[in-house]
């Protein structure tokens, strides 16, 4: 491990619809965290349109790099490494961050470090409180639903993941079916707060010992409920349907996370990803962890959604471990964790 | 005054370095291979062959489209980040204008085009004016029949340029009775040295360089945006 006195890492993240650039010091201190969100641009389409996202990233990228360095009060030459999300994500969107990172690296000679997006979400926690190992992390977002086991820095083991839709994706699709705005998480969470669980919706447990997830059946079940009600001329009780759907998602997430904790024998569970902002999930998971004597860590909302500080944090540990990329670095939309982080 | 010129708007990947208007080096490939993997090593290799580094470059030039959306973005993102990091002025030109420069001495209309699918092309029409080219019809996405009609009506000798001309060749040949020419070999692919020359002239003319929010000119909206507009105009 080469570990100079202070390590400043510039992080770049463009895997979906946020153009984000940040600077961290020593992988745990956040010096700047700049995010240019495209949420309003995509709202009218009811979801992220990849080509629209890529176009916007190109416009914003150097402006965000400049903002992040200025806010951190650091010059580009004083950066130790440039960390960039290599995948998974939208290929056209990822390419903008990677291309910019490579151009910075070519101009300055600063090394380039590839980072896995999910590893980033886990390390968002490290910026608040140092990670303590071993741990299990439940990463839930619009694009991902995964259970990751870590026994040390730079060590990631995928215990389970979704076989179809991500949890956040299920929220977006169900919101669309119910005529609620995009993204679907916040409006459903709000309704679920006031409704009752009156609709009987399935929970996909899969095989007995599986830690994988599946949410497409749940989405179809909601579609059937709405369809049947329409056929019979009945009105949907919106808040109750939202509650029933959300409870079905939460039950599976919590149960699988606790099974992963039990299986690995860890005492620490980390929640990460955009869906961590869900109030229902936060409070019920906290209650279950209290009951089972598990320490639960959830990052503040602004670090739950996509950001570049988390990429810089992982990048710091990766760089200390000697993981550098060449100028041939390419976007990998289906990147496996084991491919970048050894 | 050295210019680094980058063009990845189409299948052709081109990198050139010029000193004033003199070409020091030019690398061009015409392959269906990943620009994102090959561009940065190509820039790095050309610089090192010339014993130069980015710090010896004084300005950057890039094509801002039209062509492959992803390809354009790789060139533009590379160029604008290099320009930002090294604090160098950035100039851009249309990939069609660059292609037209292959025949800058042609006495008549120069029509560079790239196929845009569904019988449409990205095309512009240029004419020689003293030692430069002036656009007669600005770069746009246009139905091939419509383009041919416009060009026929100008009643001048015509030169079509671009490898995609082949797709529409029969159509074109059927519409002109005489004074019709087609580009050959290297004339049909854009050369980054011409892009560098265009940027050098812009510098001489004191044209303002691109700003930080510089983005490609795709010449068309995304499909999602076009559909959304159509739907909301109807409602």
């Amino acid at each position: 491990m080469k570990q100079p006195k202070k390590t400043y890492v510039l992080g770049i993240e463009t895997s979906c619809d946020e153009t984000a650039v940040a600077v961290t010091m020593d992988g745990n201190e956040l010096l700047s965290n700049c995010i240019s969100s495209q949420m309003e641009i995509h709202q009218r389409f009811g979801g992220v349109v990849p080509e629209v996202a890529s176009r916007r990233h190109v416009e914003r990228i150097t402006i965000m790099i400049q903002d992040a360095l200025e806010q951190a009060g650091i010059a580009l030459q004083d950066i130790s490494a440039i960390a960039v999300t290599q995948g998974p994500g939208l290929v056209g969107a990822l390419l903008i961050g990677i291309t910019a990172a490579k151009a910075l690296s070519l101009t300055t000679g600063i090394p380039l470090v590839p980072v896995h997006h999910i590893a980033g979400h886990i390390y968002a926690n490290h910026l608040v409180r140092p990670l303590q190992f071993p741990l299990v992390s439940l990463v839930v977002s619009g694009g991902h639903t995964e259970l990751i086991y870590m026994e040390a820095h730079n060590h990631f083991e995928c215990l389970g993941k979704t076989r179809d839709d991500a949890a956040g994706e299920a929220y977006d699709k169900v919101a669309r079916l119910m005529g609620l705005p995009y993204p679907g998480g916040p409006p459903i969470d709000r309704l679920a707060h006031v409704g009752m669980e009156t609709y009987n919706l399935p929970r996909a447990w899969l095989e007995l010992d599986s830690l994988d997830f599946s949410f497409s059946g749940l989405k179809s079940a909601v579609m059937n409920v709405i369809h049947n009600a329409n056929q019979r001329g009945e009105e949907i009780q919106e808040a109750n349907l939202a509650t029933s759907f959300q409870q079905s998602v939460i039950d599976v997430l919590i149960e699988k996370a606790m099974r992963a904790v039990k299986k690995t024998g860890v005492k620490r569970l980390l929640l990460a990803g955009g869906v961590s902002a869900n109030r229902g999930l936060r409070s019920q998971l906290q209650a279950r962890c209290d009951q089972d004597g598990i320490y639960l860590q959830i990052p503040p909302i602004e670090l739950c959604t996509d950001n570049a500080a988390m990429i810089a944090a992982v990048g710091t540990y990766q760089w200390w471990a000697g993981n550098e990329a060449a100028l041939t670095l390419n976007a990998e939309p289906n990147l496996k964790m084991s491919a970048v982080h050894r | 005054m050295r210019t680094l010129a980058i063009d990845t708007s189409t299948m052709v990947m081109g990198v050139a370095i010029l000193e004033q208007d003199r070409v020091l080096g030019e690398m061009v490939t015409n392959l269906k291979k990943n620009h994102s993997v090959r561009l940065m090593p190509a820039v790095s290799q050309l610089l090192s062959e010339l014993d130069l580094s980015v710090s010896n470059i004084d300005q950057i030039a890039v094509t801002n489209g039209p062509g492959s959306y992803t390809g354009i973005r790789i060139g533009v993102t590379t160029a604008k980040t290099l320009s930002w990091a090294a604090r160098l002025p950035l100039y851009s030109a249309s990939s069609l204008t660059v292609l037209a420069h292959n025949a800058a001495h042609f006495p008549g209309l120069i029509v560079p085009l790239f196929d845009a699918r569904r019988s449409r092309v990205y095309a512009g029409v240029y004419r020689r004016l003293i030692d430069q080219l002036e656009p007669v019809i600005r770069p746009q996405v246009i139905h091939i029949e419509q383009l041919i009609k416009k060009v026929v009506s100008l009643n001048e000798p015509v030169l079509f340029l671009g490898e995609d001309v082949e797709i529409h060749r029969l159509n074109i040949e059927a519409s002109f009775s005489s004074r019709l020419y087609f580009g050959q070999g290297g004339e049909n692919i854009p050369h980054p040295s011409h892009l560098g020359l265009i940027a050098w002239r812009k510098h001489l003319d004191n044209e303002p360089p691109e700003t930080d929010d510089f983005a490609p000119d795709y010449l068309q909206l995304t499909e999602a945006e076009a559909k959304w507009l159509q739907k909301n105009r109807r409602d």
Side-chain angles (χ1 to χ4, degrees), chain A residues 56-138:
Chain A
R56 183 70 177 158
H57 284 313
V58 182
E59 282 172 45
R60 303 294 299 165
I61 188 70
T62 53
I63 298 172
M64 299 312 291
I65 295 170
Q66 178 155 350
D67 282 0
L69 288 169
E70 272 173 11
Q71 283 183 31
I74 189 168
L76 181 59
Q77 309 82 268
D78 297 327
I79 293 290
S80 326
I82 300 161
V84 64
T85 308
Q86 188 187 5
L90 302 169
V91 64
L94 287 164
L95 272 175
I96 306 307
I98 290 171
T99 304
K102 289 199 286 189
L104 289 179
S105 179
L106 177 75
T107 312
T108 58
I110 299 169
L112 194 62
V113 180
V115 170
H116 191 283
H117 182 78
I118 300 278
H121 276 304
I122 298 172
Y123 272 72
N125 281 283
H126 191 61
L127 294 163
V128 183
R129 194 168 300 139
L131 298 182
Q132 286 183 42
F133 307 104
L135 62 82
V136 163
S137 183
L138 172 63

Side-chain angles (χ1 to χ4, degrees), chain A residues 44-45 49 51-52 54-55 58-63 65-66 69 76 92 95-96 99-100 102-104 106-108 327-331, chain B residues 34 36-37 40-41 43-44 54 69-70 73-74 76-78 80-82 84-86 212-216 218 220-222 224-225 228:
Chain A
R44 62 182 165 147
F45 305 117
V49 180
E51 177 60 24
V52 173
S54 302
R55 290 186 176 196
V58 182
E59 282 172 45
R60 303 294 299 165
I61 188 70
T62 53
I63 298 172
I65 295 170
Q66 178 155 350
L69 288 169
L76 181 59
L95 272 175
I96 306 307
T99 304
K102 289 199 286 189
L104 289 179
L106 177 75
T107 312
T108 58
L327 289 178
T328 49
L329 182 70
N330 197 12
Chain B
N34 215 321
S36 89
V37 173
M40 215 64 71
V43 172
S44 173
V54 179
Y69 294 166
T70 301
R73 279 193 287 270
I74 288 168
V76 167
T77 306
T78 300
K80 76 187 277 192
T81 311
L82 281 175
W84 176 84
D212 283 346
D213 58 353
F214 171 65
Y218 304 93
Q220 9 182 20
L221 289 175
T222 63
E225 286 168 314
W228 187 88

Side-chain angles (χ1 to χ4, degrees), chain A residues 277-296:
Chain A
N278 188 286
R279 283 184 300 170
L281 176 62
R282 285 171 99 103
S283 64
Q284 291 184 41
L285 186 59
Q286 186 66 64
R288 178 68 183 272
C289 284
D290 289 347
Q291 185 190 315
D292 290 10
I294 300 299
Y295 175 79
L296 175 68

Side-chain angles (χ1 to χ4, degrees), chain B residues 14-17 23-28 46 50 190-195:
Chain B
V15 183
I17 295 173
V23 182
L24 298 182
E26 180 171 31
M27 285 170 65
V28 178
L46 184 58
L50 296 170
H191 291 276
S193 51
H194 292 316
L195 170 64

Side-chain angles (χ1 to χ4, degrees), chain B residues 132-161:
Chain B
Q132 299 203 23
L133 290 180
E134 64 156 4
V136 180
I137 297 174
R138 295 209 163 272
Q140 56 191 276
V141 63
I142 184 170
H143 196 282
I144 183 70
E145 300 286 355
Q146 225 182 320
L147 173 72
I148 291 172
K149 223 167 98 185
K150 281 190 181 187
V151 176
V152 167
S153 74
L154 291 168
N155 195 26
E156 283 180 57
V158 182
L159 170 65
F160 280 88
L161 289 179

Side-chain angles (χ1 to χ4, degrees), chain A:
Chain A
M1 267 203 183
K2 44 184 174 184
Q3 198 159 338
K5 217 170 172 195
K6 291 277 179 233
T7 300
Y8 297 98
V9 173
L10 180 77
I12 301 179
E13 149 69 36
T14 60
S15 68
C16 190
D17 62 338
E18 323 275 2
T19 317
V21 184
V23 179
T24 59
M25 184 175 79
D26 289 342
N28 58 13
E29 199 175 317
L30 202 156
L31 300 185
S32 66
N33 190 19
C34 299
I35 301 174
S36 172
S37 174
Q38 307 177 0
M39 199 190 303
E40 281 173 27
I41 297 174
H42 296 282
Q43 232 152 14
R44 62 182 165 147
F45 305 117
V48 175
V49 180
E51 177 60 24
V52 173
S54 302
R55 290 186 176 196
R56 183 70 177 158
H57 284 313
V58 182
E59 282 172 45
R60 303 294 299 165
I61 188 70
T62 53
I63 298 172
M64 299 312 291
I65 295 170
Q66 178 155 350
D67 282 0
L69 288 169
E70 272 173 11
Q71 283 183 31
I74 189 168
L76 181 59
Q77 309 82 268
D78 297 327
I79 293 290
S80 326
I82 300 161
V84 64
T85 308
Q86 188 187 5
L90 302 169
V91 64
L94 287 164
L95 272 175
I96 306 307
I98 290 171
T99 304
K102 289 199 286 189
L104 289 179
S105 179
L106 177 75
T107 312
T108 58
I110 299 169
L112 194 62
V113 180
V115 170
H116 191 283
H117 182 78
I118 300 278
H121 276 304
I122 298 172
Y123 272 72
N125 281 283
H126 191 61
L127 294 163
V128 183
R129 194 168 300 139
L131 298 182
Q132 286 183 42
F133 307 104
L135 62 82
V136 163
S137 183
L138 172 63
V139 183
V140 219
S141 72
H144 313 280
T145 307
E146 294 196 23
L147 280 162
I148 307 288
Y149 169 70
M150 288 185 75
E151 58 182 24
H153 281 295
N154 298 330
H155 171 281
F156 304 90
E157 192 182 327
C158 182
L159 302 172
K161 58 180 185 177
T162 184
R163 293 181 184 173
D164 38 62
D165 293 350
E169 198 179 349
Y171 268 91
D172 291 341
K173 287 179 176 173
V174 165
R176 202 171 189 170
L177 290 170
M178 294 176 65
L180 299 170
Y182 167 87
I188 289 179
D189 193 22
R190 261 195 301 279
L191 284 169
H193 216 59
V194 296
M196 289 190 316
E197 197 186 341
T198 57
Y199 293 94
N200 189 14
L201 295 173
R203 276 116 179 103
W205 300 113
L206 306 174
E207 301 81 35
L208 215 58
D209 58 343
S210 174
L211 292 174
D212 281 350
F213 301 89
S214 166
F215 293 106
S216 68
L218 174 58
K219 173 203 65 194
S220 306
V222 172
M223 203 190 311
N224 286 337
V225 166
I226 295 173
H227 182 74
N228 291 342
N230 284 343
Q231 293 259 304
R232 288 197 292 265
E234 290 170 7
E235 205 153 296
I236 285 287
Q237 292 155 298
E238 211 181 32
N240 291 352
L241 184 55
T243 309
S244 309
F245 164 75
Q246 172 147 313
Q247 201 52 52
S248 174
V249 174
I250 291 177
D251 282 355
V252 174
L253 289 177
I254 293 182
E255 184 55 35
K256 296 260 175 176
M258 298 319 282
R259 282 186 196 173
V261 164
K262 212 162 283 166
K263 189 176 170 185
T264 52
V266 305
K267 291 281 172 226
R268 311 183 80 86
L269 178 64
L270 255 67
L271 188 58
V275 181
S276 323
N278 188 286
R279 283 184 300 170
L281 176 62
R282 285 171 99 103
S283 64
Q284 291 184 41
L285 186 59
Q286 186 66 64
R288 178 68 183 272
C289 284
D290 289 347
Q291 185 190 315
D292 290 10
I294 300 299
Y295 175 79
L296 175 68
Q297 193 176 331
I298 308 177
I301 308 273
E302 66 271 18
L303 288 173
C304 286
T305 47
D306 288 352
N307 64 81
M310 67 187 200
I311 301 303
V314 182
T316 306
Y317 284 88
Q318 288 290 310
W319 186 61
W320 283 339
N323 184 10
E324 282 181 31
L327 289 178
T328 49
L329 182 70
N330 197 12
E332 295 291 346
N334 303 308
L335 185 66
K336 295 236 176 3
M337 235 164 182
S338 53
V340 227
H341 303 307
R342 298 167 289 254

